[in-house]
Amino acid sequence: MQKLIELYKQWKGAEPANIQQIPGGGSNRTYFRLTDQDGQTVVGVIGTSRDEDHAFIYLTEHFNRRKLPVPKVLAATDDQLRYLQTDLGSVSLFDTIRGGREAGGRYTLKEQELLKRTIRELPNIQIRGARGLDFSNCYPQAEFDVDSVLFDLNYFKYCFLKATELDFHELKLEADFRLLAKDLTNDTYAMGDCFLYRDFQARNVMLDRDGNPWFIDYQGGRKGPYYYDLASFLWQASARYPHKLRRELVYEYYNSLKNYMEVPPVRHFVNRLSLFVLFRTLQVLGAYGFRGYFEQKKHFIESIPPAIHNLRELLSSSTPFHYPCLMDVHL
């Protein structure tokens, strides 16, 4: 903590008048709101991974050069384990749309408009943000690839399927996993220069006084297909977006994407998105299984039923999935 105060003092020329710890997310980083004598605030961060903090600082500086809505890094220690960034306030999209979420997906028109503004801005950071970006600075890897897909699918197998003692043919399931991994990473439209945010969710979107979205916690991003972030955001289990609203948000994203690149035909886009929804749902079930069944965390155990509902809804749709063993696993 003293090193963070010293950094602030070097940057500001005086020690902070007040220091308040800010509740963090799921990372090991700790956050503090530092206030000067005039009431002006910045956020101070203490990290534990030099590579992860380097990725955040590099990406933030790059995105600022691209004039994207992200915070600015104001100062950093030589080892980059401590840094100061602009304070985007305490109003997240997640908290702002809490009413609709708690009403079982009955979002007000105002909440729907905030979601649409956010989803329209996503291609900006994905496509414009990727221009000139050196992906070798990304953490923990530079690109979404077959190995990373198989890692997540095996996480689902070991932390969810085996934990729930469901019957499945392991070798046949492994063959399906390899085919799914190949399909996910084989797309001439989406595998170009695109920044995959990786953790695009309502908690990582801050809103200013005018309701404009600002983005945080993108340090796990890498080069990858744009479908992933859309699936991650719209099929988040706890959000409970109704089908009609979800479809409208996909439409908003698709039309926004047209402003940045040549888009695939609608049918191709929808089919590919369904593939990523399948993958993302399996991925989160693996995470929920580990956090819930193994770590006994109530929130994650409670998140499993809506995630399974999403999966069943997807599998009952008209989208054809050619993974017979995976389709035979009865959840």
Side-chain angles (χ1 to χ4, degrees):
M1 184 65 197
Q2 190 56 42
K3 289 183 179 178
L4 185 66
I5 294 173
E6 283 297 319
L7 178 65
Y8 181 91
K9 189 176 178 180
Q10 291 171 17
W11 171 74
K12 188 70 176 179
E15 289 194 0
N18 186 53
I19 302 173
Q20 178 187 9
Q21 186 166 351
I22 305 171
S27 74
N28 293 323
R29 292 180 304 281
T30 49
Y31 297 85
F32 300 89
R33 180 165 283 115
L34 309 176
T35 309
D36 66 13
Q37 297 287 352
D38 299 324
Q40 298 297 312
T41 62
V42 297
V43 172
V45 185
I46 300 176
T48 58
S49 167
R50 181 171 184 169
D51 290 339
E52 186 177 33
D53 292 335
H54 168 76
F56 177 80
I57 291 170
Y58 169 78
L59 289 169
T60 299
E61 291 175 344
H62 174 78
F63 291 157
N64 271 285
R65 286 194 294 272
R66 304 297 303 164
K67 300 195 180 334
L68 297 174
V70 299
K72 288 183 171 67
V73 173
L74 305 169
T77 55
D78 290 340
D79 62 8
Q80 298 190 324
L81 286 173
R82 292 162 184 80
Y83 53 91
L84 305 175
Q85 64 182 61
T86 48
D87 187 356
L88 297 180
S90 304
V91 181
S92 71
L93 176 63
F94 181 81
D95 290 335
T96 305
I97 61 173
R98 183 186 302 276
R101 190 169 59 250
E102 292 180 347
R106 293 188 293 275
Y107 289 89
T108 66
L109 290 176
K110 182 179 179 181
E111 290 168 338
Q112 291 180 41
E113 181 55 32
L114 289 173
L115 286 165
K116 289 176 182 178
R117 290 176 76 170
T118 299
I119 213 69
R120 283 195 295 262
E121 192 66 28
L122 176 58
N124 191 18
I125 196 167
Q126 289 178 315
I127 310 304
R128 283 190 61 238
R131 293 172 188 163
L133 196 157
D134 181 357
F135 287 98
S136 68
N137 288 283
C138 293
Y139 172 87
Q141 63 186 81
E143 188 170 358
F144 177 85
D145 58 16
V146 167
D147 287 342
S148 64
V149 173
L150 289 175
F151 178 89
D152 286 332
L153 291 175
N154 280 307
Y155 197 53
F156 162 72
K157 179 174 73 173
Y158 288 111
C159 294
F160 184 78
L161 284 185
K162 286 185 177 287
T164 50
E165 299 183 348
L166 289 166
D167 289 329
F168 61 92
H169 192 295
E170 194 150 354
L171 288 178
K172 289 181 179 178
L173 185 66
E174 187 66 28
D176 278 358
F177 282 174
R178 292 188 177 279
L179 181 57
L180 177 56
K182 182 180 177 183
D183 290 343
L184 287 166
T185 54
N186 182 25
D187 190 317
T188 54
Y189 282 103
M191 291 302 288
D193 281 347
C194 174
F195 177 73
L196 189 161
Y197 198 116
R198 178 75 178 177
D199 196 18
F200 188 68
Q201 57 168 305
R203 293 181 189 274
N204 291 335
V205 178
M206 308 303 292
L207 300 176
D208 64 19
R209 292 178 181 177
D210 298 319
N212 298 310
W214 292 73
F215 302 109
I216 61 172
D217 279 3
Y218 37 74
Q219 62 277 346
R222 63 202 64 175
K223 184 178 180 180
Y226 47 71
Y227 298 105
Y228 183 104
D229 293 327
L230 187 61
S232 179
F233 188 84
L234 293 184
W235 274 264
Q236 187 177 12
S238 62
R240 304 178 191 275
Y241 297 127
H243 179 72
K244 181 175 180 291
L245 175 59
R246 196 183 273 151
R247 187 174 59 195
E248 289 175 2
L249 292 169
V250 170
Y251 178 80
E252 292 285 348
Y253 176 86
Y254 182 79
N255 281 317
S256 178
L257 189 63
K258 290 179 182 177
N259 296 322
Y260 301 92
M261 64 182 298
E262 181 183 354
V263 296
V266 171
R267 183 180 293 274
H268 176 92
F269 182 90
V270 171
N271 286 338
R272 294 293 297 173
L273 177 59
S274 295
L275 201 61
F276 278 87
V277 173
L278 173 62
F279 170 59
R280 179 62 180 165
T281 307
L282 299 178
Q283 186 184 42
V284 298
L285 280 171
Y288 293 166
F290 179 75
R291 299 287 190 183
Y293 296 140
F294 291 96
E295 295 187 345
Q296 291 295 302
K297 293 184 176 178
K298 183 183 177 185
H299 165 71
F300 292 99
I301 294 174
E302 292 172 346
S303 297
I304 289 173
I308 290 177
H309 173 77
N310 279 350
L311 183 60
R312 286 174 177 162
E313 188 178 63
L314 177 68
L315 297 181
S316 66
S317 70
S318 58
T319 305
F321 293 112
H322 307 292
Y323 315 107
C325 184
L326 184 58
M327 298 302 105
D328 283 343
V329 176
H330 300 291
L331 298 177

